[in-house]
Amino acid sequence: MHQYGTTRGQLADVAVAARLWAQLNPEAFVQDELTREAVLNSRMISDPLSLLDCCLVTDGGGAVIMVSHERAKYFQNKPIYLLGTAAAHWHRQITQMPDLTVTAAVESGQRAFNMAGITKNEVDVVEVYDAFTINTILFLEDLGFCRKGEGGSYVANGNIAPGGSLPVNTHGGGLSCVHPGMYGIFILIEAVRQLRGNCGKRQVDGAEVALVHGNGGVLSSQATSILGTEETL
């Protein structure tokens, strides 16, 4: 906010977009209507983050089964392929960050894109770890979907909500769907479901490539994976 002019309203837009996706997901824990004003007027937790800028606290569990390309064809469900993956760890404590607006997603994202041999323009669905609304903005910038400092304007006006130009956190994210602590498995599962075409009302038409990004520690560990359908091989 100090460096680039990002506003609380733009942070609220992230929460509203997540809730709109959650309303299309029967598994989401929270599905009632949410407005920008409601986010802005909710109880302040740590300025500038209010209660509705923060992720849920829920129970939950998930699992992913990985097999070889050769074995995948014998399974009933449509196989989804891991095209690229990378992780980066830059610090331990948040006070060690040289710049609070730049995370190790810059490194993990670029390495994952290089392994996959694609660019951001080929990504159809993005699932990121949204512990707070600012996380979504930081990661969209660091992963290259918009320039540094432009994340606030990028998420505004429904751009990452249903019907927007970039579907982000299509199950409702940690902000509205589920957040049991080990949240990263849920964005992997959502990405696979999207690429299989199994998401019902929230399905992104023609989704063939999904980027999944997880965050650990205090913005310290970042991991990026890129998944694709068989058509992307």
Side-chain angles (χ1 to χ4, degrees):
M1 295 172 75
H2 172 74
Q3 289 180 239
Y4 300 111
T6 306
T7 68
R8 284 198 64 218
Q10 291 168 341
L11 294 176
D13 288 334
V14 174
V16 171
R19 184 64 55 84
L20 290 171
W21 284 112
Q23 290 173 335
L24 302 176
N25 179 10
E27 295 180 352
F29 270 73
V30 183
Q31 300 183 26
D32 53 316
E33 183 181 359
L34 181 65
T35 64
R36 178 190 251 205
E37 290 70 28
V39 179
L40 294 175
N41 292 329
S42 63
R43 178 168 55 91
M44 187 61 67
I45 300 298
S46 182
D47 195 1
L49 300 177
S50 72
L51 178 66
L52 295 176
D53 286 294
C54 304
C55 64
L56 303 178
V57 178
T58 72
D59 290 330
V64 172
I65 295 176
M66 294 189 67
V67 299
S68 67
H69 174 83
E70 291 75 17
R71 293 190 64 191
K73 61 185 178 182
Y74 295 108
F75 287 80
Q76 180 178 354
N77 291 323
K78 176 182 177 181
I80 301 303
Y81 298 88
L82 179 62
L83 307 180
T85 187
H89 181 86
W90 281 6
H91 63 275
R92 179 177 176 86
Q93 299 296 334
I94 199 168
T95 53
Q96 296 172 305
M97 292 180 72
D99 186 336
L100 289 174
T101 72
V102 180
T103 75
V106 171
E107 179 184 339
S108 65
Q110 189 57 60
R111 286 167 51 205
F113 275 120
N114 290 344
M115 180 181 289
I118 67 169
T119 69
K120 65 178 180 63
N121 296 325
E122 298 171 79
V123 175
D124 301 305
V125 180
V126 175
E127 313 289 349
V128 299
Y129 195 119
D130 56 341
F132 307 97
T133 51
I134 186 59
N135 290 59
T136 301
I137 292 175
L138 288 177
F139 297 149
L140 288 175
E141 292 176 347
D142 290 345
L143 293 167
F145 290 98
C146 57
R147 294 181 180 178
K148 178 55 64 179
E150 296 181 359
S153 58
Y154 188 80
V155 302
N157 303 314
N159 193 50
I160 63 173
S165 65
L166 183 67
V168 175
N169 290 351
T170 52
H171 60 330
L175 292 169
S176 284
C177 179
V178 61
H179 199 301
M182 296 294 105
Y183 169 65
I185 193 70
F186 290 94
I187 47 179
L188 278 170
I189 291 170
E190 176 66 12
V192 169
R193 287 175 168 176
Q194 283 287 346
L195 297 182
R196 283 181 174 163
N198 294 340
C199 286
K201 292 182 179 180
R202 69 183 188 280
Q203 180 62 47
V204 176
D205 291 339
E208 293 189 348
V209 177
L211 182 146
V212 181
H213 182 78
N215 162 70
V218 192
L219 284 181
S220 52
S221 302
Q222 307 294 333
T224 311
S225 293
I226 298 173
L227 309 179
T229 63
E230 188 169 17
E231 290 74 20
T232 65
L233 298 179

